[in-house]
Amino acid sequence: MKEKELHIDGIDKVILKHLMNDARTPILGIAREIGISGAAIHQRLRKLEASGLISGSKLIVNPKVLGYNIVAFIGVYLDAASKYSSALKRLKEIPEVVESHYTTGNWAILVKIVCKNNEHLLKLLNQDIQLIKGVARTETFISLDQQINRQIKL
Amino acid sequence: MKEKELHIDGIDKVILKHLMNDARTPILGIAREIGISGAAIHQRLRKLEASGLISGSKLIVNPKVLGYNIVAFIGVYLDAASKYSSALKRLKEIPEVVESHYTTGNWAILVKIVCKNNEHLLKLLNQDIQLIKGVARTETFISLDQQINRQIKL
DNA sequence: AGTGAAATTTCCGCTCC
DNA sequence: GGAGCGGAAATTTCACT
């Protein structure tokens, strides 16, 4: 998928910085700011897409408005590493699970979940996650304050 | 910020599902699929923006193309909870830190970082994070396999 | 790689149903 | 709450440098 070495110069960085902040920023506005034509920006974007650096764009929704007020991380211990793929399959079916990582260290899986309140969290733990075959026990870490949420710097 | 109860009907869900997947999906394409006019979609989007449900859109870049191959979580123990805000300030200055949560449980802060390789990770730990005033010790969990990365279901 | 202009598509305020 | 119209603006392609 990656053949060409990609050279990201200062202009590319300006373009990407704008679009990483708001994917719907008009190309022509960026063009005027930089001082090159809209077509040139378009060409650069096509190149960056082809290189795989741009992997898409997403509309970001605020979970709080839907009543999802709690973010928590759950460390999941498996009784055998071989249970990973089947457990993962079940985790994918739980919509509140928004991230899942197979990790080195204490537990086997680190899961990030979003839920509405404490009862909801308890229900997820007791009736969903801990009932998955292979899950031995879990450790829960509730995020009381998320102050950093960004992408890697260019 | 939130005054009106927001009613998200099936049409809103279809619109949001498209845009959450690709924020640059043409509105008119969605309009044709649903069978209403483009202007109607615009009206709904404005309403959803005003409600705060839509908090923006972002271009997603693939860190691997930039050579960032490792994702890790770091549990940070503070020697006193009062050091949180000063430690957070320093964490914000480390570009490889992409998430930071103040958490209940074992440690005080859970940090997500992206880095290029093991040396880079070691450098971040020894020369950046563990030098922050108030940081007692850290636990590192490297993500070997991230299989879920999504937003909350509507 | 960048430009300028043409062709196409989208956006968005407006009026009407 | 949605449709249809129309002008303004943005996107996208292309020939040329």
Side-chain angles (χ1 to χ4, degrees):
Chain A
M1 219 115 273
K2 204 192 103 188
E3 326 82 16
K4 270 263 277 300
E5 266 313 305
L6 83 151
H7 233 333
I8 326 169
D9 64 12
I11 293 179
D12 291 320
K13 284 189 187 176
V14 174
I15 299 169
L16 288 171
K17 230 163 261 181
H18 273 98
L19 295 175
M20 284 168 73
N21 189 260
D22 178 2
R24 284 182 167 279
T25 310
I27 306 290
L28 291 178
I30 304 173
R32 275 189 290 272
E33 182 186 319
I34 301 179
I36 61 176
S37 71
I41 307 240
H42 193 249
Q43 277 180 34
R44 283 169 176 268
L45 280 173
R46 292 200 61 80
K47 196 172 300 178
L48 291 169
E49 273 166 24
S51 79
L53 178 61
I54 296 177
S55 53
S57 68
K58 292 201 181 330
L59 194 77
I60 309 298
V61 304
N62 181 356
K64 284 194 212 294
V65 177
L66 296 172
Y68 289 84
N69 294 300
I70 300 182
V71 173
F73 291 88
I74 301 175
V76 178
Y77 291 84
L78 293 181
D79 53 29
S82 59
K83 303 279 176 60
Y84 173 58
S85 64
S86 63
L88 181 62
K89 208 175 143 197
R90 288 280 299 110
L91 286 171
K92 284 184 181 168
E93 295 164 6
I94 304 174
E96 289 90 346
V97 171
V98 294
E99 279 187 47
S100 171
H101 300 262
Y102 187 77
T103 53
T104 63
N106 296 14
W107 43 71
I109 309 178
L110 180 61
V111 159
K112 182 180 181 179
I113 66 170
V114 177
C115 56
K116 300 197 171 190
N117 48 45
N118 286 336
E119 297 92 64
H120 188 189
L121 174 58
L122 204 60
K123 182 255 174 195
L124 280 169
L125 281 170
N126 291 340
Q127 291 170 45
D128 291 309
I129 293 172
Q130 289 181 345
L131 292 190
I132 295 175
K133 248 193 141 57
V135 170
R137 66 193 185 86
T138 61
E139 280 177 10
T140 302
F141 309 95
I142 298 175
S143 170
L144 301 173
D145 182 40
Q146 172 166 9
Q147 286 284 346
I148 301 179
N149 190 15
R150 61 190 176 196
Q151 295 191 63
I152 190 68
K153 211 197 71 191
L154 298 173
Chain B
M1 220 112 279
K2 203 192 102 189
E3 325 82 16
K4 268 262 276 299
E5 267 313 306
L6 83 150
H7 233 336
I8 327 169
D9 64 12
I11 294 180
D12 290 321
K13 285 190 186 176
V14 174
I15 299 168
L16 288 171
K17 230 163 262 182
H18 274 98
L19 294 174
M20 284 168 74
N21 188 261
D22 177 3
R24 283 182 166 278
T25 309
I27 306 293
L28 291 179
I30 304 173
R32 275 189 292 273
E33 182 186 319
I34 301 179
I36 62 177
S37 73
I41 308 243
H42 276 284
Q43 278 180 33
R44 285 168 174 270
L45 279 174
R46 270 200 296 276
K47 194 175 302 177
L48 292 169
E49 272 167 24
S51 78
L53 177 61
I54 296 177
S55 52
S57 67
K58 291 203 182 329
L59 194 76
I60 309 298
V61 304
N62 181 358
K64 284 195 212 292
V65 176
L66 296 171
Y68 290 84
N69 294 299
I70 299 182
V71 173
F73 291 88
I74 300 175
V76 178
Y77 291 83
L78 293 181
D79 54 28
S82 59
K83 303 278 179 57
Y84 173 59
S85 65
S86 64
L88 181 62
K89 207 175 145 198
R90 287 282 297 108
L91 285 172
K92 284 184 180 168
E93 295 164 5
I94 305 173
E96 289 90 346
V97 171
V98 294
E99 281 187 46
S100 171
H101 300 262
Y102 188 75
T103 53
T104 64
N106 295 11
W107 43 71
I109 308 178
L110 181 61
V111 159
K112 182 180 180 179
I113 66 169
V114 177
C115 58
K116 299 196 172 190
N117 48 45
N118 286 336
E119 298 92 66
H120 188 189
L121 174 58
L122 203 61
K123 182 255 175 195
L124 281 168
L125 282 169
N126 291 339
Q127 291 170 47
D128 292 308
I129 292 172
Q130 290 182 344
L131 292 189
I132 295 175
K133 248 191 140 62
V135 169
R137 65 190 183 88
T138 61
E139 281 177 11
T140 302
F141 309 95
I142 297 175
S143 170
L144 301 173
D145 181 40
Q146 173 166 7
Q147 285 285 347
I148 301 179
N149 190 15
R150 60 190 177 196
Q151 295 191 63
I152 191 67
K153 212 197 71 190
L154 298 174

